[in-house]
Amino acid sequence: QVQLVESGGGSVQAGGSLRLACAASVPGDYMGWFRQTPGKEREGVAAVWKEAHYYAPSIIRRFTVFRDSTKKTVYLDMDNMKPEDTGTYYCAHSHHFGRDWDDSSDRNWGQGTQVTVSS
């Protein structure tokens, strides 16, 4: 069982920045971030698959996903944040790509960390 520990959530004003981190107990070829708000499905935000990086259109040029050389820690730098970025952010980990980078099935998940952006 893969253990994932997230950190870095919090509250920020619009235009501000936060960094999320997720430490995994084992390396993963796929590591990424999803977010969820009440009443909505979990959606992909950004992910790393081997050497490729993927981003949701709504966060391109504002968020950056990267991981360390051990492939056990993934980060999400969030800049110029907007109120619509508010949600619970979940770290995702797996050894497969899935049907697409934002496919949420068959992933290991962190406990979630709350991000709140106020206007």
Side-chain angles (χ1 to χ4, degrees):
Q1 184 73 15
V2 177
Q3 303 297 320
L4 300 170
V5 179
E6 300 161 359
S7 60
S11 297
V12 65
Q13 289 190 328
S17 300
L18 284 175
R19 170 177 282 189
L20 303 182
C22 172
S25 56
V26 297
D29 286 325
Y30 175 100
M31 293 188 77
W33 294 94
F34 287 66
R35 69 185 176 197
Q36 191 167 23
T37 54
K40 293 188 176 181
E41 292 188 358
R42 195 171 294 187
E43 62 175 1
V45 175
V48 181
W49 163 252
K50 296 190 177 181
E51 303 305 318
H53 297 71
Y54 300 87
Y55 295 95
S58 62
I59 57 87
I60 287 177
R61 290 186 294 276
R62 298 191 298 118
F63 292 9
T64 304
V65 64
F66 60 100
R67 60 182 172 186
D68 68 359
S69 59
T70 68
K71 295 187 178 181
K72 293 175 67 176
T73 302
V74 65
Y75 302 90
L76 184 68
D77 276 350
M78 303 183 289
D79 297 314
N80 190 22
M81 298 186 72
K82 303 177 180 181
E84 51 263 43
D85 296 323
T86 295
T88 303
Y89 283 68
Y90 294 90
C91 175
H93 172 291
S94 65
H95 300 298
H96 64 276
F97 182 71
R99 290 170 295 179
D100 207 336
W101 73 269
D102 58 350
D103 178 8
S104 62
S105 59
D106 296 326
R107 310 281 189 200
N108 299 296
W109 297 99
Q111 78 279 8
T113 185
Q114 179 65 34
V115 171
T116 303
V117 185
S118 58
S119 58

